[in-house]
Amino acid sequence: MTRRELDAADITDPALRVAYTHCRRLNARHGRTYFLATRLLPVERRSAVHALYGFARWADDIVDDLDRHRTPDERDRLLRRLESDLAHGLRTGAGTNAAAGTRDGAGDQPVVRAVADTASRYDIEHTLFADFLASMRSDLHITDYPTYADLRAYMHGSAAVIGLQMLPVLGTVTSREEAAPHAADLGVAFQLTNFLRDVGEDLDRGRVYLPADLLAAHGVDRSLLEWSRRTGRADARIRGALVAAEDMTRKVYRSAEPGIAMLDPRTRPCIRTAFTLYGGILDAIAEQDYSVLHRRAVVSRGRRAATAAAGIVGISRARWGARASRRTSTAGVTALPRKGPVR
């Protein structure tokens, strides 16, 4: 499948093919929900999505998973080196001249080569990548957010820009400007879902992504969350705060949803599938009575398969509609008088 995706995208340079393949592996390994939805995209657009996800995953790994013994200063240095490599790649369409793929953050990384190429092919704004890396750096020293407004400012760089990066790849039937707010909200909705699902895991890393004022409104603070995580015991106040966080997240989903109809019909099934699967995580959290501090909520394989099947049906309808439209257009052209250019 990788070769077919690369060929369809007209990615012929051997080094670039290796870089995109590396990003695809990152997507498959870490983004199960996202990767499943990506399989529903037109084949020629999948490599670009893998590159965008791979770059985001690589930066996130530097912050959280690269080496638990690294200090914040060391992680900051690696992020800034990544930012420097990316800036060079965006300017030139290539990475640095150092050895490729070094895992400590130095050198011409495959993710940089792939994402720089994708940005060039789809005319993605370079500031979106800078905003993303700024939010990643903030994770090194900011461990909680007093208000939802503070959290939204962080999520502009960590989530909204991902939706905006994706928009040129997905294509739209409206102007990009009209679709952009919905794309940004979809990125935020997905990240809020992850925050709610991962409350316990994030707490282990010393972070709380639920706004402090939302928690306080239900009598919850960090120490109560830590107590529940440590003892495995539930608390009605925590449950109330998590229900409120779910409601907050679903409002963002409702704001994002109209943007799906603004996308290219061939890419809508992919985004609709991701929308449904991520929303399903919220359903799973509720079904498990909001026990996210003690276990991770997941969408069942059966539900994932059913959602993917619905996406495949959507793809078939989109393709049939495109063929019908081409037939109608061709019939109209042949009926025109053969005088002057057809406009």
Side-chain angles (χ1 to χ4, degrees):
M1 183 62 75
T2 303
R3 180 178 297 175
R4 178 170 170 248
E5 291 173 357
L6 295 170
D7 291 344
D10 195 30
I11 299 168
T12 57
D13 178 82
L16 270 178
R17 289 172 74 91
V18 169
Y20 275 103
T21 300
H22 176 76
C23 291
R24 187 182 190 276
R25 291 195 188 106
L26 287 174
N27 194 354
R29 185 184 312 136
H30 296 288
R32 291 189 303 167
T33 298
Y34 201 68
F35 184 72
L36 176 61
T38 302
R39 297 291 297 274
L40 301 176
L41 280 174
V43 65
E44 71 276 5
R45 305 193 200 186
R46 295 176 195 169
S47 292
V49 176
H50 295 322
L52 293 171
Y53 180 91
F55 179 78
R57 179 75 252 177
W58 192 271
D60 191 62
D61 280 354
I62 290 175
V63 173
D64 284 330
D65 300 322
L66 179 62
D67 183 344
R68 296 299 176 90
H69 298 292
R70 290 186 185 273
T71 67
D73 285 345
E74 289 173 322
R75 294 173 189 273
D76 182 72
R77 178 182 62 81
L78 294 177
L79 280 175
R80 291 186 184 279
R81 179 60 182 271
L82 178 61
E83 185 172 29
S84 174
D85 285 356
L86 179 63
H88 177 85
L90 292 173
R91 285 195 308 270
T92 65
T96 66
N97 292 322
T102 52
R103 193 63 181 89
D104 67 353
D108 181 13
Q109 298 180 26
V111 293
V112 171
R113 294 180 62 87
V115 82
D117 183 69
T118 289
S120 176
R121 287 171 185 261
Y122 288 94
D123 192 26
I124 299 173
E125 293 182 23
H126 294 182
T127 56
L128 298 176
F129 298 100
D131 290 347
F132 170 76
L133 288 171
S135 281
M136 292 299 98
R137 282 199 301 275
S138 74
D139 271 332
L140 299 177
H141 54 85
I142 295 177
T143 60
D144 53 45
Y145 294 86
T147 68
Y148 182 57
D150 295 315
L151 183 63
R152 281 295 297 236
Y154 164 79
M155 289 191 296
H156 165 74
S158 64
V161 299
I162 304 299
L164 296 173
Q165 290 168 8
M166 285 280 292
L167 200 54
V169 178
L170 298 173
T172 62
V173 295
T174 65
S175 68
R176 193 182 298 184
E177 292 72 22
E178 183 180 1
H182 301 289
D185 276 345
L186 190 59
V188 170
F190 288 171
Q191 185 163 67
L192 284 171
T193 301
N194 287 342
F195 287 162
L196 190 55
R197 180 195 63 193
D198 299 339
V199 171
E201 295 174 19
D202 288 331
L203 196 62
D204 292 343
R205 296 187 177 103
R207 302 193 193 111
V208 177
Y209 287 107
L210 300 182
D213 59 351
L214 181 150
L215 295 173
H218 296 270
V220 178
D221 58 15
R222 180 189 287 260
S223 63
L224 183 61
L225 294 175
E226 291 172 340
W227 169 84
S228 179
R229 177 70 168 171
R230 183 176 64 253
T231 64
R233 295 175 63 182
D235 186 283
R237 292 167 294 178
I238 294 175
R239 185 185 185 282
L242 295 175
V243 170
E246 179 199 4
D247 181 63
M248 175 182 72
T249 303
R250 290 193 186 277
K251 287 178 181 177
V252 183
Y253 274 98
R254 289 194 290 273
S255 178
E257 187 170 16
I260 298 176
M262 300 178 186
L263 299 175
D264 181 331
R266 294 174 298 166
T267 65
R268 286 176 203 165
C270 166
I271 302 307
R272 173 62 67 181
T273 297
F275 183 95
T276 302
L277 287 172
Y278 272 91
I281 295 173
L282 293 180
D283 295 337
I285 289 170
E287 289 164 5
Q288 295 179 11
D289 201 30
Y290 303 92
S291 58
V292 290
L293 279 163
H294 313 129
R295 57 176 172 161
R296 183 182 244 223
V298 297
V299 179
S300 69
R301 289 186 178 180
R303 183 181 293 184
R304 286 161 57 87
T307 303
I312 292 171
V313 171
I315 291 171
S316 299
R317 288 174 177 167
R319 289 175 178 170
W320 183 89
R323 286 195 295 267
S325 177
R326 285 196 296 270
R327 285 196 297 268
T328 301
S329 176
T330 302
V333 169
T334 56
L336 289 172
R338 295 293 185 179
K339 292 182 180 179
V342 176
R343 301 188 184 277

